Amino acid sequence: MGGVTDLLSSHSLDVATRYLDLAGVFASALLGGAIARVERLDLFGFLAVGIVSGLGGGLVRDVLLQHGTPVALTDVAYLPTAIAGSLIAFVISISQHAWDRLFTVLDAAVIGFWAVTGAHMTLAAGLGWLPAVLLGTMTAVGGGVARDLMLGRIPAVFGGNAMYATVAMITAAIMVLCSYLDAPALGIILGIVVSLVFRVLAVRRGWSLPNGRDWQPRSRLATVMERGRRVVPRLRP
Amino acid sequence: MGGVTDLLSSHSLDVATRYLDLAGVFASALLGGAIARVERLDLFGFLAVGIVSGLGGGLVRDVLLQHGTPVALTDVAYLPTAIAGSLIAFVISISQHAWDRLFTVLDAAVIGFWAVTGAHMTLAAGLGWLPAVLLGTMTAVGGGVARDLMLGRIPAVFGGNAMYATVAMITAAIMVLCSYLDAPALGIILGIVVSLVFRVLAVRRGWSLPNGRDWQPRSRLATVMERGRRVVPRLRP
Amino acid sequence: MGGVTDLLSSHSLDVATRYLDLAGVFASALLGGAIARVERLDLFGFLAVGIVSGLGGGLVRDVLLQHGTPVALTDVAYLPTAIAGSLIAFVISISQHAWDRLFTVLDAAVIGFWAVTGAHMTLAAGLGWLPAVLLGTMTAVGGGVARDLMLGRIPAVFGGNAMYATVAMITAAIMVLCSYLDAPALGIILGIVVSLVFRVLAVRRGWSLPNGRDWQPRSRLATVMERGRRVVPRLRP
């Protein structure tokens, strides 16, 4: 266990997560740019949507935490990475299909990492476990939510996209647990791994959260009474 | 008057307004969830819309005041209350009709209390009376505005819903006055009572603010010139 | 050069930019109100959209900088100015045509001034040149973006409106340069002048940024291969 602890607290974990973080910003900005293309925005629109997609989650978290200027503005690597993603999306047209193949795995790891980071920073600011799970989730899905709102869409994470936000919530909760056990580095690794496995499974098997209709007691009772129909709530709307 | 002052500054006012505050968060989250159902969101969507509905006004106020982490995150009762409201809305379908009957009065009291709280906190942060009225109003209507924006709707308070925002503005102004008279406890009670009476009357009698069209000098003059038509601006669009 | 430096650092520059700043708030609130009229909002809607239009850019900048309560709330002149603009738009109907004639020049100067101010405050907060350009641009276009988002529109600055945001970005960059050269007053004047000239030219000549489609290598190559078609990217979509 000593060797693992050394590894986990080592410089290499910092470096690895740093690259993962920036890769996540880049990929999110790229996806934001791809959506800007669908909306036929101009170059400024690409930049605005790309930057918000890549950095929006962290910005919202830091604005809510009120613990100093957002990292997205003080860390010199973030903005150039988001701008690079936006510009590449401007020059090259990325299809949703290519996106899905290239980035699903990266995206899955990034959700976990961002949720873990957000939860960790919230605890470090002295807040409780519930705000930590909330802001961890917000860090992971906030960029996508802000992007969708900017373009007049109901955020995709609010319904039927393979438990994207659920993965973020679970990962943030894992980090809270590991922090209470005084093992934040373990939390980072567990978070990323769980997020990867869970999200890839959810995408492959088409898992999704129930929506309100599925869980109405009345409709479930009605379903029970009508023989021949399945009783379990539908998992796919 | 001494007896009233004792009452107003007593522990019982704190306790009463605490319950009113949390009841307001719960009711707003419940309404948010009911709207999430209309939009067919999944469980995460219910939670997101419910939390924003219940806590959005205070979050926006605290982010604008920049006086520390928002109370919605530091007070341990708020988030669970908002989550409870969202989950109950997820399990039980609440019709607009039932909502109107159950919650109009509670909602009316809560608008007043939130407007009063927002105005008070703004003055306590050292700002002037106009920002106090603005942030008081924002505290009261901000959750609903944020909820509507999240769902791609033009906020309901911007037009024709029985002076919802007007009640908030008036209540916030009352609190500003009472604060200048060094009687904040009186402001809380007056604010809640005025809000209750005014809002319930506005709903029953269908009061609403004029919209831009009603107040155009040209159209009013035109109306004056055409005999037989009423001269007063229409109050209901 | 001494005389110019005296002029630039003098009280008269402060006074002139103060009036320009408030004139910009007023004009933006007026335009916000005009758009509230199109959406048939009520009086509260006019106020909300007007205040957000007039003060939104500065609010977003100050919330992101996290350096104290936003100037829009602490400076006693801003809110009344924005409210006055909203109320005048409520009473008088301003056509887009009249707006264009009256305010294009004022608006052009204000973009520059706001971009310059935002960039300057960002540098003063200790951030780098890229955040300074970002927040400078956001100060200039943020009010309009927030206004459009409040009304469920895709922000106008994201596509095809005569390089509005581009002018802001260029002006913010000029201010960053002048700040590094220790000549902030020169930056203010240059920023306003460049913004005025560039923006008025862009409006008159119909300049706009390319959108994503124009810059796709594939389509450009395709265009090159098809003889008789123009090779340069279209500047007007």
Side-chain angles (χ1 to χ4, degrees):
Chain A
M1 194 65 192
V4 177
T5 310
D6 285 352
L7 176 71
L8 292 183
S9 61
S10 72
H11 182 64
S12 56
L13 181 65
D14 281 353
V15 172
T17 53
R18 173 78 175 165
Y19 283 119
L20 181 58
D21 193 9
L22 291 177
V25 171
F26 181 80
S28 298
L30 206 57
L31 180 56
I35 295 173
R37 180 179 301 280
V38 174
E39 300 284 347
R40 304 189 173 218
L41 303 185
D42 68 12
L43 178 53
F44 180 75
F46 272 73
L47 286 170
V49 175
I51 290 173
V52 163
S53 299
L55 304 176
L59 282 172
V60 170
R61 177 200 62 215
D62 291 346
V63 163
L64 288 177
L65 277 181
Q66 301 262 332
H67 268 66
T69 307
V71 186
L73 298 177
T74 54
D75 183 318
V76 291
Y78 281 121
L79 261 176
T81 306
I83 290 171
S86 314
L87 291 181
I88 288 173
F90 184 74
V91 177
I92 303 170
S93 170
I94 304 149
S95 67
Q96 185 67 44
H97 182 68
W99 174 266
D100 287 347
R101 282 198 305 183
L102 282 169
F103 290 112
T104 298
V105 173
L106 169 61
D107 191 46
V110 166
I111 301 170
F113 177 64
W114 283 353
V116 154
T117 314
H120 186 63
M121 289 173 75
T122 310
L123 294 174
L127 296 178
W129 68 271
L130 202 51
V133 172
L134 179 76
L135 293 190
T137 307
M138 218 178 253
T139 307
V141 308
V145 168
R147 177 200 67 211
D148 289 344
L149 292 179
M150 274 173 89
L151 297 172
R153 305 168 165 205
I154 294 185
V157 289
F158 290 179
N161 65 337
M163 313 197 88
Y164 198 95
T166 310
V167 173
M169 274 197 284
I170 292 171
T171 323
I174 289 173
M175 185 63 188
V176 169
L177 262 173
C178 289
S179 284
Y180 282 151
L181 300 173
D182 214 17
L186 183 66
I188 294 173
I189 289 176
L190 262 183
I192 294 170
V193 171
V194 167
S195 167
L196 252 175
V197 173
F198 195 118
R199 169 80 178 148
V200 169
L201 277 174
V203 168
R204 293 234 173 119
R205 308 211 171 163
W207 291 346
S208 71
L209 281 186
N211 59 33
R213 187 160 296 205
D214 301 326
W215 283 98
Q216 283 182 56
R218 265 177 288 170
S219 54
R220 287 181 72 194
L221 274 172
T223 316
V224 173
M225 302 222 245
E226 297 170 32
R227 303 205 173 185
R229 299 209 175 175
R230 59 189 175 141
V231 177
V232 291
R234 283 175 299 139
L235 280 174
R236 298 165 77 171
Chain B
M1 194 67 190
V4 177
T5 311
D6 284 352
L7 176 72
L8 293 182
S9 62
S10 73
H11 181 65
S12 56
L13 181 66
D14 281 355
V15 172
T17 53
R18 173 78 173 164
Y19 283 120
L20 180 59
D21 192 11
L22 292 176
V25 170
F26 180 81
S28 298
L30 207 57
L31 179 58
I35 294 174
R37 180 179 301 281
V38 174
E39 300 283 347
R40 304 188 174 219
L41 303 185
D42 68 11
L43 179 53
F44 181 75
F46 273 74
L47 285 171
V49 175
I51 291 173
V52 164
S53 299
L55 303 176
L59 282 173
V60 170
R61 176 200 62 215
D62 291 347
V63 163
L64 287 178
L65 276 182
Q66 301 261 334
H67 268 67
T69 307
V71 185
L73 299 176
T74 55
D75 183 318
V76 291
Y78 281 122
L79 260 178
T81 306
I83 290 170
S86 314
L87 290 181
I88 288 174
F90 184 73
V91 177
I92 303 170
S93 170
I94 303 151
S95 67
Q96 184 69 41
H97 182 68
W99 175 266
D100 287 346
R101 281 197 306 182
L102 283 170
F103 291 111
T104 298
V105 173
L106 170 61
D107 190 45
V110 166
I111 301 170
F113 176 65
W114 284 353
V116 154
T117 315
H120 187 63
M121 290 172 75
T122 309
L123 293 174
L127 296 178
W129 67 271
L130 201 51
V133 173
L134 179 76
L135 293 190
T137 307
M138 219 177 252
T139 308
V141 308
V145 168
R147 177 201 69 212
D148 290 343
L149 292 180
M150 275 173 89
L151 297 172
R153 306 171 165 203
I154 293 185
V157 290
F158 290 179
N161 65 336
M163 312 196 87
Y164 199 95
T166 311
V167 172
M169 274 197 284
I170 291 171
T171 323
I174 288 172
M175 186 62 186
V176 169
L177 261 172
C178 289
S179 284
Y180 283 152
L181 300 172
D182 213 17
L186 182 68
I188 293 173
I189 290 177
L190 262 182
I192 294 169
V193 171
V194 167
S195 168
L196 253 175
V197 172
F198 195 118
R199 169 78 177 148
V200 169
L201 277 175
V203 168
R204 293 234 173 119
R205 309 209 169 164
W207 292 346
S208 72
L209 280 186
N211 59 32
R213 186 159 297 206
D214 301 327
W215 282 97
Q216 282 182 56
R218 265 177 288 172
S219 53
R220 285 180 74 194
L221 272 174
T223 317
V224 173
M225 302 222 247
E226 298 170 32
R227 304 207 173 183
R229 298 206 176 177
R230 58 186 176 143
V231 177
V232 292
R234 285 174 300 139
L235 281 174
R236 299 165 77 172
Chain C
M1 194 67 190
V4 177
T5 311
D6 284 351
L7 176 72
L8 293 181
S9 62
S10 72
H11 182 63
S12 57
L13 181 66
D14 280 355
V15 172
T17 53
R18 173 77 173 164
Y19 281 120
L20 180 60
D21 192 10
L22 292 176
V25 170
F26 181 81
S28 299
L30 206 58
L31 179 59
I35 295 173
R37 181 179 301 279
V38 174
E39 299 284 347
R40 304 189 175 218
L41 304 185
D42 68 11
L43 178 54
F44 181 75
F46 273 74
L47 285 170
V49 175
I51 290 173
V52 163
S53 299
L55 303 176
L59 282 172
V60 170
R61 175 201 61 214
D62 290 346
V63 163
L64 288 177
L65 276 181
Q66 301 260 335
H67 268 68
T69 307
V71 185
L73 298 177
T74 55
D75 183 318
V76 291
Y78 282 121
L79 261 177
T81 306
I83 290 171
S86 314
L87 291 181
I88 288 175
F90 184 72
V91 177
I92 304 170
S93 170
I94 304 151
S95 68
Q96 184 67 43
H97 182 68
W99 174 266
D100 287 347
R101 281 197 305 181
L102 283 169
F103 291 112
T104 298
V105 172
L106 171 61
D107 190 47
V110 166
I111 302 169
F113 177 64
W114 284 353
V116 154
T117 315
H120 186 62
M121 290 172 74
T122 310
L123 293 173
L127 296 177
W129 67 271
L130 202 49
V133 173
L134 180 75
L135 293 191
T137 307
M138 219 178 252
T139 307
V141 308
V145 168
R147 177 199 67 211
D148 290 344
L149 292 179
M150 275 173 89
L151 298 172
R153 305 169 166 205
I154 294 185
V157 291
F158 289 1
N161 65 338
M163 314 196 87
Y164 199 94
T166 310
V167 172
M169 274 197 285
I170 291 171
T171 323
I174 288 173
M175 185 63 186
V176 169
L177 261 172
C178 289
S179 285
Y180 282 152
L181 300 172
D182 213 17
L186 182 68
I188 294 174
I189 290 177
L190 261 183
I192 294 171
V193 171
V194 167
S195 167
L196 253 174
V197 173
F198 195 118
R199 169 78 178 148
V200 169
L201 276 175
V203 168
R204 293 234 171 119
R205 308 210 170 163
W207 293 346
S208 72
L209 281 185
N211 60 32
R213 185 158 297 204
D214 301 325
W215 283 96
Q216 283 182 58
R218 266 176 286 171
S219 52
R220 285 180 75 194
L221 273 173
T223 315
V224 173
M225 302 222 245
E226 298 170 33
R227 302 206 174 184
R229 299 209 175 176
R230 60 189 175 140
V231 177
V232 291
R234 283 175 298 138
L235 281 174
R236 299 165 76 171

